Amino acid sequence: MLPSATSEKGSAPSQATFRFRCIGCGSVSSSAAQDFRCSQCGNLLEITDSSWNSQNPAALKSLWRERRTLNEGIDLSGVWRFREFLPAPDSEQQIVSLREANTPLYELPQSSRITGVPRLYAKHQGLNPTGSFKDAGMTVAATFARQAGYHWVACASTGNTSASMAAYAARGGMRSLVLVPEGKISWSKLSQALDYGALTCQLRTDFDGCLLLLQELVRRAPVYQLNSINPFRLEGQKTLAFELLEQFEWEPPDHIIVPGGNLGNSSAIGKALLEMRDVGLIPRLPKLSVIQAEGANALVRTLREAGGKRLVSVQAETRATAIRIGNPASWEKAVKVLQATGGACEQVSELEIAQAKAEIGAEGIGCEPASAVTLAGLKKLLRQGFVKPEETVVLVLTGNLLKDPDYTMEFHRGDLFKDTPYEQSAKLDRFRHPPVVLDATLDAVIKTLEQAEKSDPTHSNV
Ligand code: F0G
């Protein structure tokens, strides 16, 4: 028998209530409920707070800046620094934090040259404590899971959510249950969950199957679900947009481009942009665009084939395993924020993803394949004229290069597209840097060096 939410742990469970708004029927309710869906129409809930609209934007900007200079306490977290727009825990001691966020905004000089967009930036969420953007949401959701007295937290995952959840659960003294598709997540992410102590189940199904099973499980057992349908997670993920706008001195970029999987992140960023606009922190909205892999393009098809009115699910297949999702839970939230900000939704091929990933690697930054859809998507949006070269563009890089070393090794060895229609494509050869096995002699190394210089002289004076 699992301990119930209220029977374990040292501190008494919280009675705190929060305001939830249904994104379907719009009804607003106040509760401590752990339901993530509206009791009237079944749609997803989001957290809302009337105090968010009565803030003084100028005072907030200087308060947030001042907090960045502090060397202790919750202000070290780039999420809780923006707590005026987050649900409030009973006390600061409840907060489960690994000093997440505070991620860099990089210029991308080489990709700027390739795309012809001089003002091109990457917001690198892969530099979070567990290597992905999930940490920004997890600090908030884990905090409220602990405050509510949960002993077990759980998620279905393509890898990054499980790594992040396991870390924050460990930090908050909770146990964690991970459901992942067998053979379809990278070893790197799986090994994180193991090391952080999660009970890890590799299920013989895909991500969508794992999520369905989890939803059944939470009805039967006192386990708190930390997937992105959990509205507390999306509140934390909102702070990416606050931090980004602060890095731009509150002058909004024209475009923010994000990868789309289960569509929680795009929904969270969109929610933040609308809240910032409503309170006067920014004068206008950037366009938020979502890019998917061609083989996992449920949102693209939902918009094209059903006008965004009903979900068109797909049987997902892509080597960008983080976004190998065919039945995205937050599709309605994503449709709303795309429409509200005037963003686009596009899909890119496996070849385009691999090339873009290599180009981001060549910037000395690197990212995992799912993140590279943003650069591939930007190229497409430029060709379509949706993005103009003179505009300011931010790519959200969601995961660290080290998250999927198999993909990177296969790419450089030339095996990535073995037995696929792309196999013969020579297009990517110039991006490949396979390791060279040599006898351990000076001659052999010098010869290889000379050959490398001959084959790529453009790099000589960099
Ligand atoms: N990029 C990376 C690196 C991801 O891990 C994910 C999602 C996404 C993009 C898509 O974000 O789902 O909010 O649209 N990963 C989830 C996971 C599903 O389980 O780690 P989304």
Side-chain angles (χ1 to χ4, degrees):
M1 182 68 186
L2 290 177
S4 75
T6 53
S7 67
E8 277 274 322
K9 317 297 292 171
S11 56
S14 168
Q15 297 305 315
T17 59
F18 303 92
R19 279 182 87 211
F20 295 95
R21 181 174 46 215
C22 171
I23 62 138
C25 68
S27 65
V28 175
S29 56
S30 263
S31 73
Q34 313 303 335
D35 288 336
F36 304 149
R37 292 197 176 271
C38 176
S39 56
Q40 290 167 36
C41 74
N43 222 313
L44 285 175
L45 298 174
E46 62 182 12
I47 294 177
T48 172
D49 191 323
S50 51
S51 75
W52 294 344
N53 271 336
S54 54
Q55 308 273 353
N56 173 335
L60 279 178
K61 288 177 190 177
S62 64
L63 176 67
W64 291 339
R65 182 143 302 224
E66 192 188 310
R67 285 180 185 159
R68 271 177 59 192
T69 64
L70 302 177
N71 271 328
E72 57 182 356
I74 57 166
D75 291 324
L76 290 174
S77 161
V79 170
W80 293 100
R81 195 155 63 80
F82 298 102
R83 56 189 168 277
E84 283 70 18
F85 282 82
L86 296 176
D90 289 347
S91 78
E92 286 187 6
Q93 280 65 46
Q94 290 288 358
I95 290 176
V96 184
S97 171
L98 288 165
R99 302 189 187 174
E100 49 289 318
N102 291 320
T103 57
L105 181 68
Y106 288 121
E107 289 173 345
L108 297 175
Q110 300 194 47
S111 303
S112 280
R113 273 198 297 279
I114 293 166
T115 56
V117 179
R119 289 198 305 276
L120 176 60
Y121 301 88
K123 176 74 175 152
H124 207 327
Q125 295 300 94
L127 299 181
N128 266 292
T130 76
S132 85
F133 72 100
K134 307 286 181 180
D135 295 344
M138 211 53 82
T139 179
V140 176
T143 294
F144 289 100
R146 177 161 80 166
Q147 179 172 295
Y150 276 96
H151 183 60
W152 279 93
V153 291
C155 72
S157 181
T158 56
N160 281 325
T161 301
S162 54
S164 180
M165 181 191 73
Y168 282 82
R171 202 72 185 172
M174 293 173 283
R175 299 203 62 191
S176 60
L177 168 71
V178 161
L179 305 183
V180 290
E182 205 239 330
K184 295 291 180 192
I185 81 166
S186 88
W187 289 112
S188 164
K189 299 173 189 178
L190 192 65
S191 64
Q192 286 182 284
L194 304 183
D195 229 33
Y196 301 136
L199 169 59
T200 304
C201 303
Q202 296 178 267
L203 303 185
R204 292 188 197 94
T205 177
D206 54 11
F207 168 83
D208 302 292
C210 292
L211 192 56
L212 270 178
L213 203 139
L214 180 65
Q215 277 158 4
E216 282 297 309
L217 179 77
V218 295
R219 275 188 226 119
R220 304 263 287 272
V223 168
Y224 189 59
Q225 187 178 347
L226 287 185
N227 275 98
S228 57
I229 62 166
N230 180 316
F232 292 97
R233 256 197 57 198
L234 296 198
E235 290 306 300
Q237 284 175 214
K238 275 185 347 191
T239 58
L240 179 156
F242 286 86
E243 191 178 288
L244 176 68
L245 266 295
E246 186 184 59
Q247 286 166 318
F248 274 104
E249 303 291 346
W250 304 100
E251 181 53 41
D254 299 293
H255 296 273
I256 300 176
I257 302 181
V258 289
N262 214 19
L263 301 174
N265 205 30
S266 35
S267 305
I269 296 171
K271 184 172 190 279
L273 294 174
L274 295 170
E275 285 169 6
M276 278 190 272
R277 195 260 328 257
D278 290 350
V279 76
L281 279 162
I282 50 172
R284 63 195 153 76
L285 289 172
K287 292 188 174 80
L288 179 67
S289 294
V290 176
I291 312 295
Q292 298 195 296
E294 262 174 17
N297 60 353
L299 184 65
V300 174
R301 292 189 55 183
T302 293
L303 289 161
R304 289 185 191 165
E305 294 167 29
K309 300 228 170 351
R310 72 180 159 80
L311 176 64
V312 179
S313 310
V314 300
Q315 188 67 44
E317 197 47 80
T318 168
R319 285 300 305 264
T321 52
I323 50 173
R324 190 174 175 275
I325 295 172
N327 201 15
S330 293
W331 67 273
E332 276 164 300
K333 287 185 178 178
V335 168
K336 274 183 197 283
V337 297
L338 278 180
Q339 287 168 349
T341 67
C345 182
E346 256 308 337
Q347 58 187 354
V348 291
S349 73
E350 295 295 304
L351 200 66
E352 289 170 319
I353 296 171
Q355 177 171 338
K357 178 171 146 24
E359 286 165 347
I360 293 167
E363 299 274 5
I365 298 174
C367 63
E368 69 166 285
S371 310
V373 302
T374 53
L375 178 58
L378 168 64
K379 293 179 197 167
K380 214 161 175 180
L381 296 178
L382 279 161
R383 286 199 294 275
Q384 293 168 357
F386 181 77
V387 176
K388 314 262 179 312
E390 64 276 14
E391 291 182 311
T392 302
V393 180
V394 177
L395 309 178
V396 177
L397 302 183
T398 44
N400 197 291
L401 169 66
L402 299 175
K403 283 285 194 173
D404 198 346
D406 283 351
Y407 184 104
T408 309
M409 289 305 292
E410 283 181 39
F411 174 80
H412 288 290
R413 289 195 166 127
D415 297 337
L416 188 64
F417 295 120
K418 218 175 180 168
D419 303 326
T420 75
Y422 296 132
E423 187 162 11
Q424 301 307 323
S425 175
K427 207 174 161 195
L428 297 183
D429 280 355
R430 69 197 159 98
F431 297 101
R432 290 178 36 229
H433 306 286
V436 188
V437 181
L438 299 174
D439 288 334
T441 66
L442 194 57
D443 267 3
V445 177
I446 288 178
K447 214 163 151 194
T448 309
L449 197 60
E450 285 168 354
Q451 271 166 4
E453 173 60 22
K454 253 188 248 148
S455 64
D456 191 5
T458 51
H459 270 82
S460 55
N461 288 324
V462 174

